[in-house]
């Protein structure tokens, strides 16, 4: 994977001292990324415990659990634009250190939460800190590796997500079996301390020598639009009525604000997102694939935790161990996905990966309360393999489409679509799950006191909690709750697989094929824009 000598000369060279320690820097970046991803993977295992009444948990409802996840991802996504621009302006190392420190403070406060509302608040603070971490890690990577090594480094960076997926649920399961639920957040604090120390010692600072102005109005529009839209979707699931006036006003208001955001960005002289990049089909397809694959996967991750712990009766640790095949597949294949891109092109690689993701998601529609464990392990391995062959090529495509000086902005675009897709996936698919479950369980709540029926029908955990209070008379309600949840899970699985198929169609139509002879493989298949930008500046 080499570049023409003329092109290499046009790109500013990385200092030799930085080049020599680039792999050590990558390890530090992976460690920083680890704490951001690990937090969400831990929380997915702990949702059942947090939903339990005090003192075991916080007695959180399903909608509160969704907001505990979405408060993090929405704030994260909303501030990624600003964080990326600030990194390009004042230095990526500075914003990375700030983000990690703030994330650690938020983790400590979340561990001490006394109510679901407090947990949601501190999760939002953690999301604000994480917004300064994730784009900076990828931006630093692009500035310490030469272009020909970037696909390999990005593959390892993406594979580190698999490490977090493995460590998070297992660590969370162990902590929940021996300590209180807040330990899943407190564990972040020592990790933050190690990351801060390594960052100060090893990571060089970098920034755009000619940064543009920030766009606070555009960022504000994106935050308001996303919060309104997702709130409307979640509220619709709670009420089992998407025609409710509050739901309609919130959802439509969110869509209008987001449309205003796009209009503003097109006309701004200093946009948070340069809309012109989306005119390139391969770039637009890459970010769409990122959003769609995380939309599908985050929603399924949310309900699979309830399937494994509520329906199957497994502990948090056992549920975490079930995700090991998913993590292993990502760790094995993400760093090697570039080899398939070199041989077959990004289009074929991503299309195959998206089909595997869709297959894995659709398989949930066939599961029941006795599905063999080995079938689940195989499913998660297939999902991880598919995801590994999507995330690496599309990330390379996005990041190599922009000049190195704009790496922070490129990383912000990549991670924003990833987080927005995940947040909407939890909201939309969580709402579908809640709506179908409530519609099916309502006919089986006759033995429940009238005042508790509405709460009992909101989620399987709420129903099982009421059944437990009824004693032996609650046994039929437990069976009905399991049946209703499985039905809701099957419907949601079909929906998530359909979203993945839409992503398959997008990458099959618009991602670049195998590069012609003489053009650099492993990237997006487009011309080297960083070379052109450097040449134009001469």
């Amino acid at each position: 994977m080499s570049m023409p000598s003329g092109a290499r000369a046009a790109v500013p060279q990385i200092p030799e001292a930085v080049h020599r320690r680039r792999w050590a820097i990558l390890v530090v970046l992976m460690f920083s990324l680890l704490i951001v991803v690990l937090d969400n993977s831990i929380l997915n295992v702990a949702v059942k415990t947090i939903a339990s009444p005090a003192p075991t948990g916080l007695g959180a409802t399903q909608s509160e659990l969704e907001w505990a996840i979405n408060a993090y991802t929405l704030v994260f996504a909303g501030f990624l634009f600003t964080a990326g621009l600030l990194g390009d302006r004042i230095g990526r190392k500075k914003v990375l250190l700030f983000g990690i420190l703030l994330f650690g403070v938020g983790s400590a406060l979340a561990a001490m939460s006394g109510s679901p509302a407090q947990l949601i608040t501190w999760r939002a603070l953690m999301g604000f800190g994480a917004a300064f971490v994730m784009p900076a890690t990828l931006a630093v990577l692009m500035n310490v590796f030469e272009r020909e090594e970037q696909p390999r480094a990005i593959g390892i960076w993406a594979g580190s997500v698999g490490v977090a997926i493995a460590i998070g649920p297992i660590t969370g399961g162990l902590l929940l079996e021996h300590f209180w639920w807040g330990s899943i957040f407190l564990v972040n604090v020592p990790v933050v301390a190690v990351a801060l120390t390594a960052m100060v010692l090893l990571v060089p600072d970098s920034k755009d020598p000619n940064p543009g102005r920030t766009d606070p109005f555009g960022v504000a529009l994106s935050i308001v639009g996303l919060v309104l839209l997702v709130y409307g979707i979640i509220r619709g699931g709670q009420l089992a009525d998407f025609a409710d006036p509050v739901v309609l006003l919130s959802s439509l208001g969110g869509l209008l604000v987001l449309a205003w955001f796009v209009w503003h960005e097109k006309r701004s002289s200093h946009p948070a997102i340069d809309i012109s990049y989306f005119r390139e089909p391969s770039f637009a397809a890459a970010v769409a694939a990122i959003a769609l694959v995380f939309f599908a996967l985050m929603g399924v991750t949310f309900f699979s935790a309830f399937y494994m712990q509520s329906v199957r009766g497994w502990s948090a640790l056992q549920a975490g161990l079930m995700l090991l095949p998913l993590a292993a597949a990502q760790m094995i294949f993400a760093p090697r996905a570039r080899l398939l891109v070199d041989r077959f092109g990004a289009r074929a690689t991503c299309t195959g990966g998206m089909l595997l993701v869709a297959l894995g998601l659709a398989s949930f529609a066939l599961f029941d309360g006795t599905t063999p464990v080995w079938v689940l392990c195989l499913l998660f391995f297939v999902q991880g393999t598919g995801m590994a062959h999507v995330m690496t090529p599309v990330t390379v495509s996005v990041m190599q489409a922009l000049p190195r000086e704009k790496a922070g902005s490129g990383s912000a675009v990549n991670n924003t679509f990833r987080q927005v897709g995940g947040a909407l996936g939890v909201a939309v698919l969580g709402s579908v799950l809640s709506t179908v479950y409530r519609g099916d369980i309502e006919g089986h709540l006759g033995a429940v006191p009238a005042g508790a029926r509405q709460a009992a029908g909101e989620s399987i955990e709420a129903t099982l909690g009421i059944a437990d209070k009824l004693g032996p008379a609650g046994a039929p309600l437990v069976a009905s709750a399991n049946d209703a949840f499985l039905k809701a899970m099957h419907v949601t699985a079909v929906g998530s697989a359909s979203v993945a198929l839409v992503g398959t169609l997008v990458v099959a139509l618009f991602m670049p094929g195998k590069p012609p002879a003489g053009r650099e493989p492993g990237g997006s298949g487009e011309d080297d824009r960083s070379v052109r930008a450097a040449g134009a500046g001469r």
Side-chain angles (χ1 to χ4, degrees), residues 224-238:
V224 172
L226 286 168
V227 170
L228 285 174
L229 177 61
V230 176
Y231 175 78
I233 294 169
I234 293 176
R235 186 62 178 164
Q238 290 176 323

PDB file of all heavy atoms in Angstrom, residues 224-238:
ATOM      1  N   VAL A 224     -31.024  20.493  20.018  1.00  0.00           N
ATOM      2  CA  VAL A 224     -32.463  20.682  20.232  1.00  0.00           C
ATOM      3  C   VAL A 224     -33.262  19.734  19.331  1.00  0.00           C
ATOM      4  O   VAL A 224     -34.219  19.086  19.774  1.00  0.00           O
ATOM      5  CB  VAL A 224     -32.864  22.144  19.976  1.00  0.00           C
ATOM      6  CG1 VAL A 224     -34.384  22.299  20.013  1.00  0.00           C
ATOM      7  CG2 VAL A 224     -32.218  23.060  21.013  1.00  0.00           C
ATOM      8  N   GLY A 225     -32.881  19.650  18.070  1.00  0.00           N
ATOM      9  CA  GLY A 225     -33.596  18.797  17.144  1.00  0.00           C
ATOM     10  C   GLY A 225     -33.572  17.336  17.542  1.00  0.00           C
ATOM     11  O   GLY A 225     -34.598  16.643  17.517  1.00  0.00           O
ATOM     12  N   LEU A 226     -32.407  16.837  17.938  1.00  0.00           N
ATOM     13  CA  LEU A 226     -32.287  15.429  18.311  1.00  0.00           C
ATOM     14  C   LEU A 226     -33.057  15.123  19.589  1.00  0.00           C
ATOM     15  O   LEU A 226     -33.742  14.089  19.681  1.00  0.00           O
ATOM     16  CB  LEU A 226     -30.807  15.071  18.494  1.00  0.00           C
ATOM     17  CG  LEU A 226     -29.999  14.946  17.201  1.00  0.00           C
ATOM     18  CD1 LEU A 226     -28.513  14.886  17.518  1.00  0.00           C
ATOM     19  CD2 LEU A 226     -30.433  13.726  16.416  1.00  0.00           C
ATOM     20  N   VAL A 227     -32.957  15.992  20.581  1.00  0.00           N
ATOM     21  CA  VAL A 227     -33.656  15.745  21.841  1.00  0.00           C
ATOM     22  C   VAL A 227     -35.169  15.720  21.626  1.00  0.00           C
ATOM     23  O   VAL A 227     -35.869  14.840  22.135  1.00  0.00           O
ATOM     24  CB  VAL A 227     -33.267  16.808  22.884  1.00  0.00           C
ATOM     25  CG1 VAL A 227     -34.180  16.713  24.110  1.00  0.00           C
ATOM     26  CG2 VAL A 227     -31.815  16.621  23.309  1.00  0.00           C
ATOM     27  N   LEU A 228     -35.693  16.684  20.858  1.00  0.00           N
ATOM     28  CA  LEU A 228     -37.130  16.709  20.591  1.00  0.00           C
ATOM     29  C   LEU A 228     -37.590  15.457  19.851  1.00  0.00           C
ATOM     30  O   LEU A 228     -38.608  14.847  20.193  1.00  0.00           O
ATOM     31  CB  LEU A 228     -37.488  17.954  19.775  1.00  0.00           C
ATOM     32  CG  LEU A 228     -37.505  19.288  20.515  1.00  0.00           C
ATOM     33  CD1 LEU A 228     -37.723  20.431  19.531  1.00  0.00           C
ATOM     34  CD2 LEU A 228     -38.571  19.298  21.597  1.00  0.00           C
ATOM     35  N   LEU A 229     -36.839  15.056  18.831  1.00  0.00           N
ATOM     36  CA  LEU A 229     -37.221  13.897  18.028  1.00  0.00           C
ATOM     37  C   LEU A 229     -37.218  12.624  18.857  1.00  0.00           C
ATOM     38  O   LEU A 229     -38.185  11.851  18.851  1.00  0.00           O
ATOM     39  CB  LEU A 229     -36.279  13.757  16.833  1.00  0.00           C
ATOM     40  CG  LEU A 229     -36.507  12.542  15.933  1.00  0.00           C
ATOM     41  CD1 LEU A 229     -37.889  12.571  15.317  1.00  0.00           C
ATOM     42  CD2 LEU A 229     -35.433  12.480  14.853  1.00  0.00           C
ATOM     43  N   VAL A 230     -36.135  12.376  19.586  1.00  0.00           N
ATOM     44  CA  VAL A 230     -36.029  11.140  20.357  1.00  0.00           C
ATOM     45  C   VAL A 230     -37.023  11.134  21.521  1.00  0.00           C
ATOM     46  O   VAL A 230     -37.600  10.091  21.842  1.00  0.00           O
ATOM     47  CB  VAL A 230     -34.586  10.949  20.850  1.00  0.00           C
ATOM     48  CG1 VAL A 230     -34.486   9.726  21.742  1.00  0.00           C
ATOM     49  CG2 VAL A 230     -33.643  10.787  19.664  1.00  0.00           C
ATOM     50  N   TYR A 231     -37.243  12.298  22.139  1.00  0.00           N
ATOM     51  CA  TYR A 231     -38.238  12.348  23.216  1.00  0.00           C
ATOM     52  C   TYR A 231     -39.616  11.952  22.688  1.00  0.00           C
ATOM     53  O   TYR A 231     -40.356  11.209  23.336  1.00  0.00           O
ATOM     54  CB  TYR A 231     -38.310  13.744  23.829  1.00  0.00           C
ATOM     55  CG  TYR A 231     -39.421  13.859  24.851  1.00  0.00           C
ATOM     56  CD1 TYR A 231     -39.262  13.348  26.130  1.00  0.00           C
ATOM     57  CD2 TYR A 231     -40.646  14.436  24.515  1.00  0.00           C
ATOM     58  CE1 TYR A 231     -40.285  13.420  27.057  1.00  0.00           C
ATOM     59  CE2 TYR A 231     -41.680  14.515  25.439  1.00  0.00           C
ATOM     60  CZ  TYR A 231     -41.493  14.009  26.709  1.00  0.00           C
ATOM     61  OH  TYR A 231     -42.511  14.068  27.624  1.00  0.00           O
ATOM     62  N   GLY A 232     -39.973  12.449  21.513  1.00  0.00           N
ATOM     63  CA  GLY A 232     -41.255  12.099  20.936  1.00  0.00           C
ATOM     64  C   GLY A 232     -41.386  10.610  20.686  1.00  0.00           C
ATOM     65  O   GLY A 232     -42.440  10.006  20.944  1.00  0.00           O
ATOM     66  N   ILE A 233     -40.314   9.984  20.206  1.00  0.00           N
ATOM     67  CA  ILE A 233     -40.348   8.547  19.930  1.00  0.00           C
ATOM     68  C   ILE A 233     -40.473   7.744  21.222  1.00  0.00           C
ATOM     69  O   ILE A 233     -41.281   6.811  21.322  1.00  0.00           O
ATOM     70  CB  ILE A 233     -39.080   8.138  19.154  1.00  0.00           C
ATOM     71  CG1 ILE A 233     -39.088   8.786  17.765  1.00  0.00           C
ATOM     72  CG2 ILE A 233     -38.997   6.620  19.025  1.00  0.00           C
ATOM     73  CD1 ILE A 233     -37.788   8.660  17.026  1.00  0.00           C
ATOM     74  N   ILE A 234     -39.697   8.113  22.245  1.00  0.00           N
ATOM     75  CA  ILE A 234     -39.755   7.399  23.520  1.00  0.00           C
ATOM     76  C   ILE A 234     -41.123   7.578  24.174  1.00  0.00           C
ATOM     77  O   ILE A 234     -41.720   6.629  24.690  1.00  0.00           O
ATOM     78  CB  ILE A 234     -38.642   7.884  24.463  1.00  0.00           C
ATOM     79  CG1 ILE A 234     -37.263   7.494  23.908  1.00  0.00           C
ATOM     80  CG2 ILE A 234     -38.822   7.311  25.866  1.00  0.00           C
ATOM     81  CD1 ILE A 234     -36.104   8.012  24.715  1.00  0.00           C
ATOM     82  N   ARG A 235     -41.638   8.800  24.139  1.00  0.00           N
ATOM     83  CA  ARG A 235     -42.951   9.065  24.741  1.00  0.00           C
ATOM     84  C   ARG A 235     -44.043   8.282  24.020  1.00  0.00           C
ATOM     85  O   ARG A 235     -44.988   7.771  24.647  1.00  0.00           O
ATOM     86  CB  ARG A 235     -43.251  10.570  24.684  1.00  0.00           C
ATOM     87  CG  ARG A 235     -44.515  10.986  25.417  1.00  0.00           C
ATOM     88  CD  ARG A 235     -44.416  10.672  26.886  1.00  0.00           C
ATOM     89  NE  ARG A 235     -45.607  11.104  27.602  1.00  0.00           N
ATOM     90  CZ  ARG A 235     -45.926  10.692  28.814  1.00  0.00           C
ATOM     91  NH1 ARG A 235     -45.135   9.828  29.443  1.00  0.00           N
ATOM     92  NH2 ARG A 235     -47.021  11.133  29.412  1.00  0.00           N
ATOM     93  N   GLY A 236     -43.925   8.157  22.710  1.00  0.00           N
ATOM     94  CA  GLY A 236     -44.884   7.366  21.962  1.00  0.00           C
ATOM     95  C   GLY A 236     -44.884   5.915  22.383  1.00  0.00           C
ATOM     96  O   GLY A 236     -45.932   5.270  22.473  1.00  0.00           O
ATOM     97  N   GLY A 237     -43.685   5.368  22.663  1.00  0.00           N
ATOM     98  CA  GLY A 237     -43.599   4.000  23.150  1.00  0.00           C
ATOM     99  C   GLY A 237     -44.197   3.844  24.540  1.00  0.00           C
ATOM    100  O   GLY A 237     -44.853   2.838  24.842  1.00  0.00           O
ATOM    101  N   GLN A 238     -43.988   4.845  25.399  1.00  0.00           N
ATOM    102  CA  GLN A 238     -44.550   4.785  26.749  1.00  0.00           C
ATOM    103  C   GLN A 238     -46.075   4.773  26.725  1.00  0.00           C
ATOM    104  O   GLN A 238     -46.713   4.030  27.470  1.00  0.00           O
ATOM    105  CB  GLN A 238     -44.065   5.999  27.562  1.00  0.00           C
ATOM    106  CG  GLN A 238     -42.589   5.957  27.928  1.00  0.00           C
ATOM    107  CD  GLN A 238     -42.156   7.229  28.633  1.00  0.00           C
ATOM    108  OE1 GLN A 238     -42.613   8.314  28.317  1.00  0.00           O
ATOM    109  NE2 GLN A 238     -41.268   7.075  29.596  1.00  0.00           N
TER     110      GLN A 238
END
